[in-house]
Amino acid sequence: MMGMFLAALDQTIMATATRTIADDLHGFDLQAWATTAFLITSTISTPLYGKLSDIYGRRPFFLLAIAIFIVGSFLCGLSDNMWQLAAFRAIQGLGAGGLMSLALAIIGDIVPPRERAKYQGFFLAVFGTASVLGPILGGFFAGADQILFTDGWRWVFYLNVPIGLAAMAVVARVLHLPHHRVDHRIDWPGALTLILGLVPLLTVAEQGRDWGWTSGRSILCYVIGVVGLIGFVLAERAYKDEALLPLALLGKRTVAVGVTASTILGMAMFGGLMTVPLYLQIVKGSSATVAGLQMIPFVVGIMGGSIISGQLIAKTGRYRIFPIVGSVFMVVALFLFSLIGADTPLWRTMLVMVLMGLGLGSNMQPMITAVQNAVSPREIGTATGAVTFFRSMGGTLGTAVFLSVLFNVLPGNIRDAYAAARTTPGFQQALASDPAQGELLETAMGGAGLADTSFLNRLADVIAHPFKVGFAESVHVVYLIAFFVMILGLIVVFFLPELPLSQRSAQQARAEDELQATGDAPA
């Protein structure tokens, strides 16, 4: 729970602080790198944590993940530009890759799938508290000029240090899981080829709009990425059951559906949700703190969906219906998000947030439960890591592609919005009454406004409104893409089989198997 609190807080605290951080470091249009770097390293390290913890035990790697996360967080607070922040976020991501996946794997070890939903309440309380506190704290720190002689936004990262140290102390003191070491080969070729495959493809997804999708650099990234992925498949075939992501494991229908659906869910979730806080701050003019509070309906939806699905799974033993219902909710929510404009009342946006949250809450935990239930006790860590890995990979790809699309269509939409506004009397009158506003407007039209959007706060409402219209119309494109992606996810979820939920935890199953093996030995 301590590790999950740390991971959940970091995921949500950045949401409302990103704009302020990016503006302060003069890199609003580079912000995707800070997110993408974090997601790349956390994505790649997730299956490694799962596999290594299956071999050597959960506790040492859980402690290692927290330690790396603390170091990365501290370095992030020292950043002087967006490139430094991206590099340090990459270090932070190496730790984050183990926080959530190992927390879920540990629960898989000690709690039977049928009973797991009952314990969800505790984790949801932690996750929900972090999810509510995160945006508020992010907004508070981002909104403060200085705290203890340091830029306010830097405390978004420094806050992780004492929380992380407390988590390490608790884990070191009270988390003692019995573990019987099983010697295996470590699939380092698989890890290296996975990095070789993913990093170039994710880089071109982020940089393609600047380089050109058919430029020499882009084509080189495509070639290296494909070669890396082919090498990864060959490595996994060679290592068989000891592979980082065993192909036999992915051959199980429940696992195959789980990882495919999680990839698509990650794309829709991260790609769509990255833009909501930006919409609230840029289009609705909310401060970072207020935007954090305005995200609470989304958190309420996640908690509601998770609690309801968890309790019903515990009572009925049925889980298949919940990812289906959750996917339907997400499809509808993403379509409704695509209709929200610059002048849409805020309460309508908040209702859609609740629906989106309900969809996510009904989707994430039941899918983890289904996959853990479908594999042997010794594969819990690897299977959990696989689902988390593919969800993170989808999120990384979604963030890179959707933010790339956003900033690709944004300049044109802003120009079009201003071209239409210049013909209106109100706009002309506002511009004539204050010529200084025209100079600020030239900054926006020249493209510098995408590096630092704080100039919007100095524009009159009438003159700022076309910029907001252009931003809202650009967000529509992102949500429409996410909508079609999620329709594909809904189709995939229909193939999820319904297996009876086990009454034994992975730990109990392993112990009973060992007793049976011992009892059979004399005979």
Side-chain angles (χ1 to χ4, degrees):
M1 287 167 67
M2 291 289 286
M4 187 171 283
F5 180 80
L6 198 60
L9 186 68
D10 183 74
Q11 286 178 3
T12 56
I13 201 170
M14 280 291 290
T16 48
T18 297
R19 182 196 175 190
T20 301
I21 295 170
D23 284 348
D24 193 58
L25 297 178
H26 304 292
F28 184 80
D29 52 343
L30 298 174
Q31 64 171 290
W33 274 112
T35 304
T36 306
F38 176 88
L39 288 172
I40 286 175
T41 52
S42 63
T43 297
I44 290 169
S45 62
T46 293
L48 271 175
Y49 279 112
K51 190 68 179 178
L52 290 169
S53 69
D54 273 347
I55 298 171
Y56 300 109
R58 311 276 186 238
R59 185 171 177 267
F61 286 98
F62 201 35
L63 287 168
L64 177 65
I66 296 171
I68 294 173
F69 188 82
I70 292 171
V71 172
S73 297
F74 183 75
L75 291 173
C76 285
L78 301 176
S79 303
D80 291 324
N81 56 60
M82 272 319 262
W83 297 113
Q84 282 186 16
L85 180 63
F88 296 146
R89 285 279 283 166
I91 296 172
Q92 195 184 29
L94 286 174
L99 291 178
M100 192 71 81
S101 63
L102 288 181
L104 293 170
I106 289 166
I107 289 302
D109 281 337
I110 60 178
V111 182
R114 181 70 182 263
E115 302 298 315
R116 205 164 293 155
K118 294 181 180 178
Y119 292 85
Q120 248 179 293
F122 298 114
F123 280 84
L124 285 169
V126 171
F127 187 84
T129 301
S131 298
V132 172
L133 281 177
I136 297 171
L137 288 173
F140 170 74
F141 290 136
D145 290 333
Q146 284 200 332
I147 299 175
L148 298 178
F149 310 106
T150 304
D151 294 332
W153 63 262
R154 296 183 188 275
W155 287 95
V156 165
F157 302 107
Y158 291 150
L159 181 67
N160 289 329
V161 176
I163 296 174
L165 290 172
M168 284 190 76
V170 170
V171 170
R173 183 173 178 81
V174 303
L175 181 64
H176 300 289
L177 296 173
H179 178 72
H180 301 283
R181 174 174 172 147
V182 180
D183 288 323
H184 288 293
R185 293 182 298 168
I186 303 299
D187 183 14
W188 295 116
L192 292 174
T193 50
L194 184 62
I195 294 169
L196 185 67
L198 286 183
V199 172
L201 294 177
L202 293 170
T203 300
V204 77
E206 161 60 25
Q207 289 294 296
R209 65 189 172 94
D210 294 326
W211 294 350
W213 299 106
T214 56
S215 67
R217 281 186 287 185
S218 295
I219 291 172
L220 181 63
C221 284
Y222 299 143
V223 172
I224 294 173
V226 170
V227 169
L229 292 179
I230 292 172
F232 176 69
V233 172
L234 293 176
E236 301 314 273
R237 286 184 64 183
Y239 273 74
K240 297 182 179 177
D241 291 341
E242 295 174 330
L244 196 64
L245 290 172
L247 298 181
L249 187 68
L250 298 178
K252 295 181 178 179
R253 183 174 162 186
T254 300
V255 179
V257 171
V259 298
T260 305
S262 293
T263 305
I264 295 169
L265 179 70
M267 285 189 69
M269 178 174 69
F270 280 96
L273 294 179
M274 281 299 296
T275 53
V276 173
L278 294 177
Y279 169 85
L280 293 172
Q281 292 178 74
I282 292 174
V283 178
K284 290 303 181 184
S286 302
S287 67
T289 306
V290 172
L293 292 169
Q294 289 168 344
M295 290 290 287
I296 289 177
F298 172 71
V299 177
V300 169
I302 287 183
M303 292 183 68
S306 298
I307 290 171
I308 292 169
S309 63
Q311 292 301 316
L312 290 176
I313 289 172
K315 288 180 180 178
T316 65
R318 310 294 290 254
Y319 58 81
R320 182 175 177 269
I321 186 64
F322 299 104
I324 293 174
V325 172
S327 297
V328 170
F329 283 169
M330 288 185 67
V331 166
V332 174
L334 287 167
F335 179 73
L336 293 176
F337 269 134
S338 73
L339 302 178
I340 290 170
D343 300 313
T344 302
L346 189 58
W347 63 267
R348 289 188 191 175
T349 308
M350 288 183 167
L351 287 178
V352 183
M353 284 186 209
V354 174
L355 186 63
M356 182 79 170
L358 284 170
L360 281 170
S362 302
N363 225 320
M364 291 191 291
Q365 187 61 37
M367 193 64 75
I368 291 280
T369 300
V371 170
Q372 288 180 340
N373 182 65
V375 301
S376 74
R378 297 185 184 279
E379 296 174 319
I380 285 281
T382 303
T384 306
V387 174
T388 312
F389 163 75
F390 280 100
R391 184 186 299 159
S392 296
M393 189 172 70
T396 307
L397 188 63
T399 300
V401 171
F402 290 158
L403 286 181
S404 182
V405 168
L406 176 65
F407 286 109
N408 195 44
V409 301
L410 189 55
N413 285 337
I414 291 172
R415 282 195 298 271
D416 293 343
Y418 272 111
R422 287 181 190 280
T423 61
T424 61
F427 186 88
Q428 294 171 352
Q429 184 179 353
L431 207 57
S433 63
D434 189 353
Q437 296 277 301
E439 297 177 9
L440 276 174
L441 184 55
E442 288 302 317
T443 303
M445 298 303 288
L450 297 184
D452 183 356
T453 59
S454 59
F455 75 93
L456 285 172
N457 300 328
R458 302 192 298 275
L459 285 178
D461 289 342
V462 174
I463 298 176
H465 189 261
F467 189 100
K468 297 176 180 180
V469 170
F471 191 91
E473 289 177 352
S474 302
V475 168
H476 289 174
V477 179
V478 172
Y479 283 122
L480 277 175
I481 296 173
F483 165 72
F484 288 112
V485 167
M486 199 59 221
I487 286 179
L488 181 61
L490 176 60
I491 294 170
V492 170
V493 167
F494 274 107
F495 290 94
L496 182 70
E498 182 95 67
L499 301 177
L501 288 176
S502 173
Q503 301 282 1
R504 300 184 302 170
S505 70
Q507 192 172 301
Q508 289 170 329
R510 280 194 293 263
E512 289 175 18
D513 290 345
E514 287 169 6
L515 281 174
Q516 288 178 359
T518 305
D520 291 340

